Structures are given as structure tokens and as C-alpha cells.
Amino acid sequence: MKPGFVSIVECFNISGIGLLTELQHFEKGIPPETQIIDLNTQEFWIVKKRVLSGILLVANDSEIYFDCETQYTHVSSTFKTLEDREIAVQRELEKRKNGIYWYVLKPDNKKQKVKPEKGSLLKIK
């Protein structure tokens, strides 16, 4: 992936929160209020905050932090077994190795209904 770009891994519209989006990038973080733009459609979204993984924060103290990411929240999961939790921890650690992190995005305006498409490459402005 070229520097200055992010790839959309997953994106969910969560009422009252915004677009919970898994981004792949190899930057040293993405600060709040950063715009990411689809160069094909010219639509853009604004990064609200980073979403940290609760299992990496508590279970392993393994979450990756970036100095420029000054606003964040976290998501915690529950697991039926210790084995399920360990599998989830390993998956999250593997994602971090591959530059994959969760963020909350907001559309550039309230009328925008489109969320970024899975697999699309967006430029960081």
C-alpha cells in the first residue's frame, strides 16, 4: 500500500456513534479531524477517533498507540471460553502486525448516506 492511503477492511453504520470502520494503513496514526477521500467519487469522511481493542488493552496490554491519535474510545468483547478469548487476542494481534486498526468516521455532511466500500483505497488529506 502506498503511503498516504488507507484501505477499507470493514465498515458498519452504528446509530448514535457513526461509521465503525476497520482501516488498514502503515502511517504513524491518523489524527482526529483528518479527511480521507475516495478519489473516484470525490466523497470523503472525517476521522472522529480511534477505537482501541478492549482485549488488547486488558488481557495483554498489547494495543498499539500513536501519539497523534488524541481522541479514542474502546470496544470490549465477551467470550464463552478462555480459548475463545485467546483466539480473539491472536486475531487482533495479527491485525496490528498487518496495519489494521478500528476508527469511527463521520460523513462530510449530514446528507451523505454512503459509507466507504469494503476494499476501497482512500487518500489521506
Side-chain angles (χ1 to χ4, degrees):
M1 178 178 318
K2 295 189 284 186
F5 285 84
V6 299
S7 176
I8 304 296
V9 177
E10 289 288 349
C11 185
F12 305 96
N13 193 355
I14 309 294
S15 295
I17 294 174
L19 299 170
L20 182 59
T21 310
E22 200 171 30
L23 300 178
Q24 181 178 33
H25 65 80
F26 296 99
E27 308 295 315
K28 294 196 185 307
I30 303 174
E33 301 305 315
T34 297
Q35 294 178 354
I36 55 175
I37 185 168
D38 184 324
L39 296 176
N40 295 321
T41 65
Q42 298 303 307
E43 289 189 291
F44 67 91
W45 297 267
I46 299 163
V47 174
K48 284 177 65 174
K49 59 182 131 185
R50 168 86 183 277
V51 180
L52 304 173
S53 168
I55 57 174
L56 293 183
L57 289 171
V58 176
N60 278 23
D61 197 25
S62 300
E63 185 61 277
I64 295 173
Y65 299 92
F66 298 106
D67 289 340
C68 68
E69 294 177 343
T70 57
Q71 295 180 32
Y72 55 87
T73 188
H74 77 278
V75 174
S76 294
S77 302
T78 57
F79 304 96
K80 290 183 181 180
T81 68
L82 184 56
E83 181 182 354
D84 289 345
R85 187 181 100 184
E86 288 305 315
I87 290 168
V89 167
Q90 292 308 311
R91 283 187 187 146
E92 286 299 310
L93 289 172
E94 190 63 29
K95 287 179 181 183
R96 297 307 176 275
K97 286 181 189 175
N98 291 306
I100 299 173
Y101 310 91
W102 285 98
Y103 292 86
V104 174
L105 305 180
K106 62 182 176 182
D108 69 331
N109 66 59
K110 291 185 180 196
K111 294 179 184 176
Q112 184 179 357
K113 300 290 184 197
V114 179
K115 63 183 183 178
E117 288 197 30
K118 186 176 177 177
S120 60
L121 196 62
L122 307 178
K123 178 153 182 50
I124 299 170
K125 283 187 101 177

